[in-house]
Amino acid sequence: MEEYGQPSPDRSSAEEKEKTPPSQPPFGESYIHYLFRVGSHWLVDNYLLKTPITPNQITLFRTGILLLTFPLFWSLNLFLYFIGVLLFQFSEMLDSVDGDLARKKGLQSARGVWLEIFLDSLFTPVWGGIGLLFAGIAYKATGDWRFFLLWGLVGFSANLEKNFYLHFKGGKGELQHALHNHIYFGLKGEEWKIKFRNFIIISKMWENQWLVWGGLFYILTGVEEIWWGIWIWLLLLNQIHWIRLAWYGYKKSGEKDGNKKEKKE
């Protein structure tokens, strides 16, 4: 999953390969992401490289699979919903396939990046199509319209986050790159603060998974409070990130002003 159109860092150097034990994901990968990457490379290397299929076709196919899950999720029927969960995970894997196929076929293009960002922005974020869908599903299950309000607040918070990324971080996808070097939960010797931070980062990256799996748990248990727990958690996740970025920008501005005073003196 490549957030904000940022390319994945180059992990092909011999030095990084030597540092990464075979039993662990490559540098910059969460374990969930690693599973999708394994499936992506297997599909590309064994099948797609031998076909005339293009990366853009994969992107469009992936969007079609994702949209197919919407009525399955909406049904709240256990069998249909579970099929939707499987198709959703397949569509998430295809999010890696189009980029891998483009690199291996030498078909990388600015138009392809535009297509993926455009479609992903419409349908895959919690503040986009899938979030609106699950706000509707929560309303259908509970009859409470406030889930649409929570969806709007999540979108507002996500907009602040992206704006602060742009101005305070230079538009770099921090969630995707800068903090991923400590993403492994199972490594011994890591401080609990790092583990907690990693949990927050991964939860933010995969926030649509909270909705998908939460819906399944609701069907299995019938507990309406599951919807409240998930949406409040997603709101908190987005609040945490924009507040942290605002504080980061505040500190950096103070440092810049301090440096200016020192130069004048």
Side-chain angles (χ1 to χ4, degrees), residues 94-216:
L94 291 178
D95 189 29
S96 298
V97 169
D98 53 6
D100 291 338
L101 185 63
R103 284 184 286 272
K104 293 186 178 184
K105 279 192 171 184
L107 296 176
Q108 295 164 291
S109 67
R111 185 59 56 85
V113 173
W114 173 87
L115 180 65
E116 181 174 13
I117 292 175
F118 176 75
L119 294 176
D120 282 357
S121 298
L122 285 177
F123 300 116
T124 60
V126 166
W127 41 265
I130 196 167
L132 180 59
L133 169 72
F134 274 93
I137 293 173
Y139 171 75
K140 177 183 178 182
T142 66
D144 198 321
W145 61 270
R146 288 177 293 179
F147 287 105
F148 292 108
L149 177 61
L150 284 172
W151 173 70
L153 290 173
V154 167
F156 176 74
S157 301
N159 183 63
L160 286 178
E161 177 198 347
K162 285 177 171 51
N163 189 52
F164 292 160
Y165 267 136
L166 178 64
H167 292 287
F168 302 147
K169 289 284 188 178
K172 296 179 181 179
E174 181 185 21
L175 290 180
Q176 189 67 18
H177 305 304
L179 296 180
H180 265 200
N181 58 327
H182 292 297
I183 213 68
Y184 310 119
F185 289 104
L187 292 185
K188 296 180 179 179
E190 287 192 346
E191 297 180 0
W192 68 269
K193 290 182 179 180
I194 295 177
K195 292 182 180 181
F196 178 74
R197 183 190 65 177
N198 293 342
F199 173 73
I200 296 297
I201 293 170
I202 292 179
S203 295
K204 180 66 175 67
M205 283 181 57
W206 297 93
E207 53 190 351
N208 51 15
Q209 295 279 1
W210 286 96
L211 292 171
V212 171
W213 290 103
L216 182 61

